[in-house]
Amino acid sequence: MISKRRLAAFLCALPLIALAACAAPDKTRPTSAGVAVEGDFDEARSEALLAEARAAQEAGRSDAAVDLYRQAALSWPDNRDAWVGLRDLSGEQGMAEDAAAAEFMIGRIDLYPSDQFYVQREVNRALKIWANEAEAAPDANATQIAYARTLSDFYDWRYAMRGSYDAPRPFLNVRAKDLPAVIASGGGVLFYLGTLATESASGQ
């Protein structure tokens, strides 16, 4: 039997437990199918892995360098230097699909830095639509789609770090306070889908 005193103490603690659970957004990194990555998104870790990749490449350990470049890029998808290293070395190793996927990612982060609002929400919505459609293509680059989904996870994660977070839905997911920014960025979403379509067509 639980004493009345203990029961009262437990009931009083419940609000504190709830507040602790809601105090901060979840920083756990989502996992994209087909991409093996260790740990959460971490910019410092990405830079450290990039340095290791360059050292491995200079030492002639190309296979290890490719893997390290990939880990560096996926640890922080805004790390352009990691994607460039992955693209160049993959190309040298005859890994055409990997090189094309890395080139695709360079184009994404050049056009749409992940710290911008419209990228974190509306452009990300367009990216998810593209990834779903690309998977149905008979000549789909599976590596590129997996990288794109990781980038999408990154956009979601960056938005979650803003504070209040609403997971994107299949249709427009907008809070009242976000309407001005969404209206301003609406044209950017259409342009983004257009660039994806153009790149897909030119790559065929």
Side-chain angles (χ1 to χ4, degrees), residues 122 125 168-174:
E122 308 315 320
R125 190 164 60 91
R169 296 189 289 271
F171 300 101
L172 190 62
N173 176 32
V174 184

Side-chain angles (χ1 to χ4, degrees), residues 40-143:
D40 298 341
F41 291 121
D42 187 329
E43 188 172 11
R45 180 173 182 272
S46 177
E47 290 296 335
L49 287 166
L50 176 59
E52 290 183 34
R54 286 169 170 164
Q57 185 174 2
E58 290 178 2
R61 297 185 295 115
S62 297
D63 290 346
V66 166
D67 183 61
L68 287 165
Y69 276 126
R70 182 182 296 111
Q71 290 291 332
L74 295 174
S75 291
W76 194 260
D78 268 349
N79 191 337
R80 189 181 193 281
D81 290 342
W83 290 116
V84 169
L86 179 59
R87 177 199 62 190
D88 293 348
L89 189 54
S90 294
E92 292 174 11
Q93 296 296 104
M95 303 163 62
E97 184 172 285
D98 292 77
E103 177 63 25
F104 170 85
M105 293 295 285
I106 293 168
R108 295 307 95 208
I109 64 176
D110 281 351
L111 284 171
Y112 306 104
S114 69
D115 58 350
Q116 297 181 10
F117 167 84
Y118 76 93
V119 172
Q120 295 168 1
R121 287 176 65 86
E122 308 315 320
V123 167
N124 190 17
R125 190 164 60 91
L127 179 61
K128 290 182 179 183
I129 292 171
W130 173 84
N132 290 336
E133 293 177 349
E135 283 183 334
D139 57 346
N141 183 331
T143 301

